[in-house]
Amino acid sequence: MGLNEGRDETLIKLVEMTDDSEISSIKKIVTDIIAIINNPRSTVQDLKEIIEIDPPLSAKVLKTANSAYYASQRKIGDIEQAVIWIGFDELKEIALSQKVCEIFAKEELVDGYSRILLWKHSVAVAILAKMIYRRELRKRGDDIYAAGLLHDIGMIAEDQFLHDDFKNSLNKFTEGKMSLADAEFDVFGYNHADVGRALTDHWNLPREMVTAIGYHHDTFSVPRKFPVMALTLYISDYLCQMSGIGYCGFSHKIDETIFQRCLNALGLEQYAFKMIAEDLKKEISRMESRGLL
Ligand SMILES: [Fe+2]
Ligand SMILES: [Fe+2]
């Protein structure tokens, strides 16, 4: 993808470091769930088999099925019932969110950044991107939700393995002179989108998703073959940061012109987003009431 060799080598090293870490502990289940999402013949039974062998995920699914949002007359005590009660479409998102969430669970706050805030941001981007796909672009794919959840995963890898340098890039960003992506580039020679691309490529995730994650801060360079998901991620990222939901990783350099260019490229009108922004807030409170945020 046009990376220079030196940068490629350091990126590969970072991705290799993640191989024996908590980041890759979610790899198997996340890639299995994405494969289920991408297979039109898959059923709720396939998902149930994955959930059953993962105790924290089973616990979360049971807790969700018994939450106030799904409140049934009786307590739901086994996975089979919980899966039926929640339904396939919701369950795909719950299972994916819960697994990805595991690597964001850490409280430390550095220069306005924490993994928890980044998690809130990632969920909001995933929900918004899905709404844009379904309502405005009339696209069905569930991949967009997964791409939203994973789009900033590169920051987790930097935070975990290159912590001091990551802190330096956060400092540079909070000084207000440049975006986080540019500050990372100054410090590492690449940014978290490059890391996310290399990592999800290493996990063999679908090509369009890998591309969208890799170009979510550089929409000018998106390969022509896969523009829609990357541009949708950019728009969602931009709007979530404008609304101050979760961590706002490039708020010092929000560029209205790029945003408008992405809208034009997708044939979207800005007024459509007023209602979507309201619905995003409702959806986030719905997730909170289900214990998912
Ligand atoms: Fe980002
Ligand atoms: Fe983001």
Side-chain angles (χ1 to χ4, degrees):
M1 279 195 201
L3 293 172
N4 68 48
E5 261 176 38
R7 187 169 71 140
D8 234 358
E9 261 172 42
T10 48
L11 261 180
I12 289 167
K13 251 190 219 152
L14 177 57
V15 167
E16 281 172 357
M17 281 195 262
T18 66
D19 267 342
D20 293 315
S21 73
E22 56 179 341
I23 296 177
S24 73
S25 69
I26 66 164
K27 175 183 162 183
K28 169 88 174 76
I29 291 192
V30 167
T31 49
D32 284 353
I33 297 171
I34 290 173
I36 287 178
I37 285 173
N38 277 302
N39 181 355
R41 283 196 300 269
S42 58
T43 65
V44 75
Q45 190 61 30
D46 300 317
L47 201 47
K48 191 192 124 211
E49 283 166 14
I50 288 181
I51 294 168
E52 273 174 342
I53 54 165
D54 187 277
L57 187 51
S58 300
K60 190 70 195 183
V61 166
L62 283 176
K63 196 174 157 211
T64 307
N66 287 294
S67 71
Y69 181 80
Y70 290 100
S72 77
Q73 301 290 38
R74 61 202 165 85
K75 284 273 161 236
I76 295 173
D78 79 87
I79 288 292
E80 177 100 40
Q81 284 176 306
V83 160
I84 293 165
W85 190 248
I86 294 171
F88 191 34
D89 278 343
E90 294 258 332
L91 199 63
K92 283 188 280 193
E93 290 180 7
I94 290 171
L96 198 56
S97 308
Q98 277 319 298
K99 284 321 286 181
V100 178
C101 178
E102 285 177 17
I103 58 167
F104 283 79
K106 199 177 163 194
E107 286 289 357
E108 190 192 14
L109 190 73
V110 182
D111 282 323
Y113 161 92
S114 78
R115 289 198 192 183
I116 306 281
L117 286 173
L118 185 62
W119 173 243
K120 270 205 160 179
H121 163 78
S122 305
V123 171
V125 169
I127 296 171
L128 187 55
K130 191 181 80 174
M131 284 177 176
I132 296 172
Y133 246 44
R134 298 279 152 80
R135 295 191 198 174
E136 303 301 317
L137 301 173
R138 309 266 173 230
K139 278 175 82 75
R140 169 77 199 129
D142 286 311
D143 269 3
I144 189 69
Y145 190 82
L149 287 183
L150 293 169
H151 80 283
D152 280 332
I153 194 171
M155 276 193 224
I156 300 285
E158 290 173 354
D159 178 12
Q160 185 136 344
F161 297 103
L162 306 165
H163 189 63
D164 290 341
D165 282 341
F166 181 58
K167 270 185 174 174
N168 286 342
S169 58
L170 287 170
N171 286 334
K172 275 182 180 250
F173 160 59
T174 31
E175 280 167 12
K177 294 191 192 91
M178 54 178 85
S179 68
L180 178 62
D182 289 344
E184 289 168 300
F185 194 83
D186 256 20
V187 174
F188 299 117
Y190 48 76
N191 65 34
H192 65 272
D194 298 319
V195 179
R197 177 193 53 72
L199 188 62
T200 50
D201 190 33
H202 183 59
W203 289 9
N204 282 322
L205 291 184
R207 184 87 345 235
E208 188 178 15
M209 197 187 290
V210 172
T211 305
I213 291 170
Y215 289 89
H216 78 271
H217 288 294
D218 183 16
T219 54
F220 283 105
S221 316
V222 185
R224 278 166 182 246
K225 205 175 165 201
F226 298 119
V228 181
M229 194 181 278
L231 298 184
T232 307
L233 273 188
Y234 184 90
I235 291 170
S236 310
D237 207 16
Y238 179 98
L239 288 170
C240 285
Q241 300 200 43
M242 291 296 275
S243 353
I245 303 171
Y247 179 66
C248 298
F250 68 133
S251 52
H252 289 292
K253 207 182 164 189
I254 278 181
D255 191 331
E256 173 79 30
T257 330
I258 300 179
F259 176 64
Q260 196 54 54
R261 198 183 57 88
C262 291
L263 289 185
N264 294 345
L266 293 179
L268 302 175
E269 301 285 350
Q270 203 155 351
Y271 70 81
F273 292 102
K274 283 211 172 84
M275 193 178 280
I276 288 186
E278 280 307 304
D279 289 343
L280 171 66
K281 282 181 199 148
K282 279 185 211 152
E283 185 60 26
I284 285 179
S285 0
R286 198 170 78 95
M287 289 193 77
E288 282 168 345
S289 71
R290 286 184 294 174
L292 294 172
L293 254 184

